[in-house]
């Protein structure tokens, strides 16, 4: 055994030194990158439509927090290119592991908008059936989902039925131990898994510079033997091309992949956050100008793939979805307190049965007006 | 209470240049609950700083800094987000003194906002104190008043041993008097009688204390005088104050917000039974959260032990000399619901 590391082995794992980009900020196409096949035109038009709907949905969700209909909402605004690309790069048999910030990815994946918002309303369950949608419950404990994604990818491989897993994680999440363990497991197991880091510049108030000293987060792959790439995450065309290539590579049995998408969280961390305490408005303005939706629209129009009619149709659909969300989440949330005991175990323990009876008696007494 | 905690950190940092404060978002943002507000501005980013997002790393770093002579005070952002640090806390923070025959101590503080009642989404309302209290080598304290928040935190920072400092989130915004000149008798390790009463003792800590006090006010209206004991310090536990009270009253209810099974309340109840058996006129009762994952905001009121549940327990303390049969009743209910389901 030689302890020599060949340069070629390392080079094959390294990301590009600058993020892959296909469309300039003003929507003008750049020279197509050699390493990537560009998505089909029809898919890009579809992506635009989903992005318009996603943005409207996102704005609606933020409004719902002000009305007290949602407990909290972490906005996807500014990150739509990453999220739409995540959904569109996957096939039906593939799995997605989202975080709390990825509502728009779930919407683009076809999940019901109200089910997507279930956890954020403050429910204790995720609303949708993970197996039916091949979508894990949105995950809040940071980076913990990345290890699950590797496990599931290994399960798919063992069953031999194909399928790739895409795990989403934030820039802050890459500092957690679990993220590193996930990369290491993925490398060792050669699991069909892709990690997409949405580097939106901040973990709540902490900027990337205080989060990591890596040349770019994508360089975290090489140490674990995981191939990697970095991409302009506000360029839908580039992001979709890179994530799709990573997913197809994993599908072909060529192992795990790490993508870092450079993007920006335009809104505060959540509706409860005050971003003025830690960042300048000029910085936000600069990123607003680099809006992924406007960029894609200009690009598609420039190529003659989209006209006013297409935009209007997308906006109409977006209004319809927003209206539906408003309507379905308009009422008070109803919940039966006794459901608390229902899904703790398959069979409740004797103690839970006892506690349930106690609460039922209390509720009955309250209903009779016997409240103390 | 938030202001008292902030003041305690500020004063501790002023008094001792080795006190360092770090964690997630504790710098310019001042922490998500603003407990560290202004500390970076006053003491500089060398002494109050944001870390990368890694709880195991934060506590591990604190261990190393404490070994190097500093007094780290770290913040875990929420109860459930301290779990990645659990191994560091249990295997290292708690055991350092013991594994070195007392040669290495770790004077560090791990601050953890805990508990519910704030309408939080999942993972934001856990009561995790029992995990720490169950671990030998960790002191575990939780204030219920602004005054105690200040002095307990000062004590914790000055303590030679590691302290897990649990901050009841729902009391952050509670107002209270704080006299920084007049130190209340060292609260770490000492329970306090918050309200005297002769008929029964209600033992509570952290977020359950205001509930116990409110129950005492309502009970008084019905002619029952409750004595409310606030533990303040779960470890070390002040058996003396608790048992003295129970021996006086002859009856005891233990209230905790946390799920009941294998909890702190169970420990207190067992110790009272062991020490006060011959003074007791009724079994010691516990009032606790249900043994379920913390429920969503819309039904959290049904989960949290409230005044009603405390009073129900109080009135089961056999003031009429009749044995309490509630448990037999609930066993019957269990049979019925088994048949029904
Ligand atoms: C283990 C853990 N620690 C802390 C938190 C609290 N928290 C929630 S989101 C967040 C910032 C995450 O930043 P990043 O990974 O960049 O994702 P973003 O929110 O920017 O999408 C923090 C600290 C958490 N959810 N889980
Ligand atoms: Mg981020």
């Amino acid at each position: 055994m030689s302890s020599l590391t060949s340069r070629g082995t390392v080079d094959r794992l390294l990301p590009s030194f600058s993020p892959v980009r296909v469309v300039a900020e003003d929507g003008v196409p750049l020279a197509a990158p050699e390493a990537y096949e560009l998505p089909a035109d029809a898919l890009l038009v579809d992506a635009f439509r989903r992005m318009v709907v996603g943005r409207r949905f996102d704005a609606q969700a933020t409004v719902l927090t002000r009305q007290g209909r949602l407990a909290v909402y972490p906005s996807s605004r500014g990150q739509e290119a990453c999220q739409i690309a995540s959904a569109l790069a996957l096939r039906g048999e593939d799995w997605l592991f989202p975080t709390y910030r990825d509502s728009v990815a779930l919407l683009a994946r076809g999940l019901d908008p109200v089910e997507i918002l279930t956890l954020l309303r403050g429910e204790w369950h995720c609303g949708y059936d993970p197996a039916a949608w091949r979508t894990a419950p949105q995950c809040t404990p940071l980076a913990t989902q990345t290890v699950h994604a590797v496990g599931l990818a290994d399960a798919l491989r063992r069953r031999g039925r194909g399928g790739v897993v895409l795990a989403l994680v934030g820039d802050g999440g890459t500092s957690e131990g679990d993220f590193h363990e996930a990369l290491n497991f993925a490398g060792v197991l050669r699991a069909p898994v892709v990690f997409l880091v949405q580097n939106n510049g901040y973990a709540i108030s902490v900027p990337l510079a205080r989060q990591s000293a890596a040349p770019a987060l994508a360089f975290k792959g090489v140490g674990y033997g995981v191939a990697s790439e970095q991409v302009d995450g506000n360029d839908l065309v580039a992001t979709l091309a890179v994530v799709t290539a990573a997913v197809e590579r994993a599908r072909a049995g060529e192992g795990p992949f790490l993508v870092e998408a450079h993007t920006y969280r335009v809104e505060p961390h959540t509706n409860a956050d005050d971003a003025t305490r830690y960042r300048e408005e000029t910085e936000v303005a600069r990123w607003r100008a680099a809006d992924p939706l406007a960029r894609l629209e200009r690009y598609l129009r420039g190529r003659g793939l989209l006209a006013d009619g297409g935009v209007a149709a997308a906006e109409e659909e977006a209004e319809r979805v927003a209206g539906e969300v408003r309507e379905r989440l308009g009422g008070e949330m109803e919940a039966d307190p006794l459901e608390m005991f229902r899904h703790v175990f398959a069979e409740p323990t004797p103690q839970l049965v006892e506690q349930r009876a106690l609460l039922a008696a209390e509720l009955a007494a309250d209903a009779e007006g016997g409240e103390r | 209470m938030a202001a008292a905690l902030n003041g305690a950190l500020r004063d501790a940092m002023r008094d001792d240049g080795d006190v360092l404060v770090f964690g997630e978002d504790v710098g310019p943002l001042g922490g998500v609950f603003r407990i560290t507000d202004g500390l970076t501005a006053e003491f500089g980013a060398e002494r109050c700083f944001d870390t990368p997002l890694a709880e195991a790393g934060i506590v591990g770093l604190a261990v190393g800094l404490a070994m190097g002579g500093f007094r780290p005070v770290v913040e875990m952002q929420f109860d459930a987000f301290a779990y990645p640090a659990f191994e560091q806390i249990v295997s290292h923070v708690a055991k350092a003194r013991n594994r070195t025959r007392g040669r290495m101590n770790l004077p560090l503080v791990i601050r953890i906002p805990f508990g519910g009642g704030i309408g939080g989404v999942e993972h934001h309302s856990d009561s995790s104190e029992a995990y720490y209290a169950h671990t030998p080598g960790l002191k575990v304290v939780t204030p219920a008043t602004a005054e105690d928040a200040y002095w307990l935190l000062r004590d914790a920072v000055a303590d030679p041993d590691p302290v897990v400092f649990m901050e009841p989130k729902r009391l952050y915004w509670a107002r209270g008097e704080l006299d920084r000149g007049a130190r209340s008798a060292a609260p770490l390790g000492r329970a306090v009688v918050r309200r005297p009463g002769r008929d029964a003792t209600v033992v509570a800590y952290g977020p359950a204390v205001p509930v116990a006090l409110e129950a005492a006010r309502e009970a008084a209206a019905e002619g029952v005088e409750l004595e409310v004991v606030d533990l303040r310090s779960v470890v070390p536990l002040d058996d003396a104050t608790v048992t003295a009270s129970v021996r006086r009253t002859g009856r005891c209810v233990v209230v905790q917000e946390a799920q009941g099974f294998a909890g702190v309340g169970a420990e207190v109840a067992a110790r009272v039974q062991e020490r006060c058996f011959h003074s007791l006129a009724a079994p010691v009762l516990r009032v606790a959260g249900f043994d379920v994952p913390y429920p969503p905001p819309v039904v959290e009121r049904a989960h949290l032990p409230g005044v009603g549940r405390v009073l129900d327990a109080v009135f089961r303390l056999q003031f009429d000399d009749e044995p309490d049969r509630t448990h037999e009743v609930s066993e019957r209910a269990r049979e019925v619901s088994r048949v029904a389901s």
Side-chain angles (χ1 to χ4, degrees), chain A residues 122 124 205 277 355 362 372, chain B residues 25 37 55 291 296 309 312:
Chain A
W124 59 55
S205 72
R277 288 177 79 107
Q355 291 171 20
E362 253 182 47
R372 233 196 271 272
Chain B
D25 302 287
D37 196 21
E55 295 76 12
D291 296 312
R309 245 171 247 161
D312 283 345

Side-chain angles (χ1 to χ4, degrees), chain B residues 96-120:
Chain B
R97 181 184 291 282
N98 195 59
R99 326 181 31 238
T100 60
R101 302 185 108 186
R103 291 188 186 100
M104 187 171 104
N105 67 324
L106 297 176
L108 58 87
V109 179
I110 302 169
R111 294 181 35 244
I112 308 179
F114 83 114
I118 59 157

Side-chain angles (χ1 to χ4, degrees), chain A residues 148-164:
Chain A
H148 311 160
V150 180
L152 188 73
D154 195 47
L156 294 177
R157 182 194 60 78
R158 285 165 189 271
R159 294 284 186 227
R161 292 204 202 108
V164 173

Side-chain angles (χ1 to χ4, degrees), chain B residues 26-250:
Chain B
V26 301
L29 187 67
V32 293
F33 292 107
R34 305 293 186 261
I35 305 301
T36 57
D37 196 21
L39 299 183
T40 301
E42 180 168 346
F43 300 101
E46 273 286 296
R47 292 191 59 203
C48 175
F49 57 95
D50 287 329
T51 63
L53 239 169
E55 295 76 12
I58 292 168
V59 173
L61 189 76
V63 169
L65 281 163
M67 288 170 70
F70 287 91
R71 286 190 177 261
V73 181
V74 302
E75 174 173 304
M76 298 282 108
Q77 201 157 73
F78 278 87
D79 30 59
F81 304 145
Y83 300 143
F86 199 62
E87 180 182 31
Q88 288 290 340
I89 296 174
V90 171
S91 298
H92 293 288
V93 173
K95 291 181 183 162
R97 181 184 291 282
N98 195 59
R99 326 181 31 238
T100 60
R101 302 185 108 186
R103 291 188 186 100
M104 187 171 104
N105 67 324
L106 297 176
L108 58 87
V109 179
I110 302 169
R111 294 181 35 244
I112 308 179
F114 83 114
I118 59 157
V121 294
E122 57 163 4
H123 312 298
H124 291 75
S125 299
D126 282 12
S127 287
S128 48
E129 67 273 20
Y131 304 134
Y132 304 109
H134 193 61
T135 304
L138 298 175
K139 292 185 175 172
V140 182
V141 303
T142 176
T145 67
E147 175 98 21
D148 275 354
Y150 181 85
W151 290 113
L152 263 182
L153 188 49
R154 293 301 306 268
D155 271 8
V157 176
D159 202 87
D161 281 310
V163 179
V164 179
F165 192 92
M166 313 277 308
E167 302 171 4
K169 284 191 279 277
R170 63 171 146 136
L171 301 186
Y172 270 150
W173 302 279
R175 308 207 149 270
E177 296 300 308
L178 167 60
D179 180 353
R180 292 191 209 182
R183 185 181 218 294
S184 66
L188 208 163
R190 298 263 175 78
V192 65
V193 175
R194 287 259 172 249
R195 176 189 171 111
R198 60 172 195 284
D199 296 327
T201 300
V202 179
V203 181
Y205 61 91
V209 173
V211 177
L213 286 169
E214 179 55 31
R217 276 188 286 277
E218 293 196 17
E222 300 191 30
V224 176
E225 291 298 333
L226 300 179
E227 178 146 301
V228 177
V229 175
D230 173 1
L231 290 179
R232 303 198 284 201
S233 178
V234 172
V235 181
L237 187 68
D238 181 1
D239 279 320
T241 300
V242 174
T243 51
S245 171
V246 176
R247 285 191 187 127
R248 268 197 306 277
T249 62

Side-chain angles (χ1 to χ4, degrees), chain A residues 309-325:
Chain A
V311 176
E315 282 170 355
E316 213 168 286
E317 184 186 344
E319 281 312 318
R320 199 172 43 68
V321 171
E324 187 196 328
V325 169

Side-chain angles (χ1 to χ4, degrees), chain A residues 30 35 52-53 63 70 135 137 141 143 213 248 263 292 320 340 344 365:
Chain A
L30 303 166
V52 172
V53 176
V63 168
L70 290 182
T135 302
E248 290 314 314
T263 180
R320 199 172 43 68
M340 211 166 357
V344 185

Side-chain angles (χ1 to χ4, degrees), chain A residues 79 100-101 169-173 197-204 206 208 211 263-265 269, chain B residues 53:
Chain A
Q79 300 179 217
Y100 50 86
R101 193 171 304 287
V169 64
D171 47 301
V197 179
Q198 292 179 70
N199 173 2
N200 62 8
Y202 288 88
I204 309 188
V206 180
L208 187 70
Q211 194 63 248
T263 180
Y264 192 77
R265 194 197 76 208
H269 174 66
Chain B
L53 239 169

